[in-house]
């Protein structure tokens, strides 16, 4: 009797493990996409190149400064930090500091040169490139 219950529990544990793996595994391959249109930046994430989720939209009017994260001298310990980065050590990470709904926010992201040039055209005094 006890052996039958243990086998049933082990079988249920294996089924739960496979369900968790199938639901969590695609989230390990996340790519972030940044879209700049009409003074707004949209942050989206794509999991395993087959599903997309919208994360956040910010307006350039709420942005205080955009600068290279390495040269970061504008730190505040109580600021909420959000990371939309790949984690690649060679990537160039920029920081956006803005006034959000819950107070001051910092967003880390990895824009390319085109993206930065569009941002600089929209808000030249807020965007500092290398």
């Amino acid at each position: 009797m006890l052996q039958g219950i243990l086998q049933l529990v082990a079988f249920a544990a294996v089924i739960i493990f496979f369900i968790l793996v199938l639901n969590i595994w695609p989230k390990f391959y996340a790519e972030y996409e940044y879209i700049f249109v009409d003074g707004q930046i949209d942050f989206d994430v794509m999991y395993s190149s087959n599903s997309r989720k919208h994360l956040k939209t910010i307006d350039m009017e709420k942005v205080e400064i955009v600068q290279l994260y390495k040269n970061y001298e504008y730190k505040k310990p109580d600021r909420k930090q959000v990371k939309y980065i790949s984690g690649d050590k060679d990537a160039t990470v920029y920081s956006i500091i803005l006034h959000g709904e819950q107070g001051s926010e910092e967003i880390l992201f990895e824009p390319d040169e085109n993206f930065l040039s569009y941002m600089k055209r929209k808000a030249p005094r807020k965007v500092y490139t290398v």
Side-chain angles (χ1 to χ4, degrees):
M1 175 87 169
L2 182 63
Q3 186 179 7
I5 292 174
L6 288 176
Q7 287 177 344
L8 186 61
V9 169
F11 181 72
V14 168
I15 296 293
I16 291 171
F17 173 75
F18 280 114
I19 289 172
L20 288 175
V21 166
L22 290 175
N23 285 329
I24 294 173
W25 185 260
K27 300 207 187 301
F28 284 117
Y29 300 105
E31 286 183 49
Y32 293 98
E33 184 175 78
Y34 321 112
I35 303 165
F36 185 76
V37 177
D38 245 3
Q40 290 186 336
I41 305 171
D42 289 329
F43 294 94
D44 295 340
V45 64
M46 293 185 300
Y47 296 113
S48 298
S49 300
N50 62 6
S51 68
R52 175 187 301 259
K53 180 180 177 187
H54 178 72
L55 299 173
K56 187 173 192 76
T57 299
I58 62 171
D59 195 359
M60 282 300 288
E61 291 177 8
K62 294 182 181 178
V63 171
E64 194 172 321
I65 189 169
V66 178
Q67 66 183 354
L68 191 62
Y69 186 65
K70 240 190 305 190
N71 301 337
Y72 191 49
E73 298 174 4
Y74 201 63
K75 294 185 180 179
K76 220 178 189 187
D78 60 341
R79 183 174 289 135
K80 179 183 169 190
Q81 189 179 61
V82 181
K83 296 180 181 181
Y84 300 134
I85 56 176
S86 65
D88 183 15
K89 295 185 190 242
D90 296 331
T92 306
V93 178
Y94 277 80
S95 172
I96 297 176
I97 297 173
L98 66 130
H99 300 292
E101 294 83 28
Q102 294 91 15
S104 187
E105 258 183 284
E106 176 183 24
I107 298 173
L108 302 181
F109 73 121
E110 301 168 349
D112 61 0
E113 293 301 319
N114 271 346
F115 194 87
L116 287 171
S117 68
Y118 290 128
M119 287 176 68
K120 192 149 180 90
R121 277 189 224 150
K122 182 67 178 175
R125 293 187 178 126
K126 295 180 180 182
V127 180
Y128 296 96
T129 58
V130 178

